[in-house]
Amino acid sequence: AQTVTQSQPEMSVQEAETVTLSCTYDTSESDYYLFWYKQPPSRQMILVIRQEAYKQQNATENRFSVNFQKAAKSFSLKISDSQLGDAAMYFCACISGANNLFFGTGTRLTVIP
Amino acid sequence: EAGVAQSPRYKIIEKRQSVAFWCNPISGHATLYWYQQILGQGPKLLIQFQNNGVVDDSQLPKDRFSAERLKGVDSTLKIQPAKLEDSAVYLCASSLLRVNTGELFFGEGSRLTVL
């Protein structure tokens, strides 16, 4: 079984500032993958960033980076230089073993101009 | 490259009626998924197809939900009869490989309201 917990239902950030979205997970598998997905108001969800559990180096994609703390089972997303287009729901997700992709409940990010 | 297409975008029905949603995945993607996203929750997998075979339908309420993927391309998801708690957005996604090694591509979803 696997669980994904996002404890921040809503977050806000000033344009050009940095924001961190939190996520914790639990899985009994040793091999797993973690994801952050973005869902803008149009509802087409897109992949933001992916982390393989066996990699110690934190994944980065332009302004998006993760802080992967394997022992703590924590996987936070940092968005630098926030832009208006970053406003969306952000979902943390995990897949492990034979399980399918399991999503958290999401964090709604508001970007203030 | 065309994305995942879904229709209809919106559907309003009364309880006990039936509804069908259609999905056309990205060309060449072997794996197709249907997710249910209830307001305020993350998407929950209903069914996964690999080509035209079912890989996982453990979360599909089979007494009222059915899905098929004819010829391993398009897919339809049907609800009959609908209940109030079926009100949700139904997301279709596809991937080239198994999801744990690839990226899921989602459609815009079909929003169902059951009155």
Side-chain angles (χ1 to χ4, degrees), chain A:
Chain A
Q2 55 187 0
T3 60
V4 176
T5 302
Q6 293 180 251
S7 59
Q8 305 157 316
E10 296 183 353
M11 291 284 286
S12 62
V13 62
Q14 206 77 30
E15 193 175 5
E17 297 295 311
T18 296
V19 65
T20 299
L21 308 184
S22 301
C23 173
T24 58
Y25 63 92
D26 192 16
T27 176
S28 57
E29 303 286 339
S30 58
D31 183 22
Y32 54 91
Y33 296 77
L34 299 165
F35 306 83
W36 278 98
Y37 275 86
K38 171 185 178 182
Q39 189 177 42
S42 68
R43 293 199 169 273
Q44 187 167 28
M45 199 168 325
I46 57 173
L47 178 65
V48 175
I49 200 164
R50 177 179 63 207
Q51 174 80 42
E52 292 91 339
Y54 64 85
K55 289 187 176 180
Q56 293 185 340
Q57 187 173 8
N58 289 325
T60 63
E61 287 287 341
N62 300 313
R63 297 182 296 107
F64 299 87
S65 62
V66 298
N67 184 5
F68 175 44
Q69 300 290 325
K70 192 170 184 177
K73 296 187 176 179
S74 170
F75 182 61
S76 60
L77 174 70
K78 185 172 82 170
I79 306 174
S80 304
D81 186 25
S82 296
Q83 301 175 0
L84 295 178
D86 295 334
M89 284 289 290
Y90 286 82
F91 291 95
C92 179
C94 173
I95 185 164
S96 62
N99 296 312
N100 279 294
L101 193 60
F102 190 88
F103 289 87
T105 52
T107 296
R108 181 179 302 281
L109 179 66
T110 300
V111 181
I112 302 166

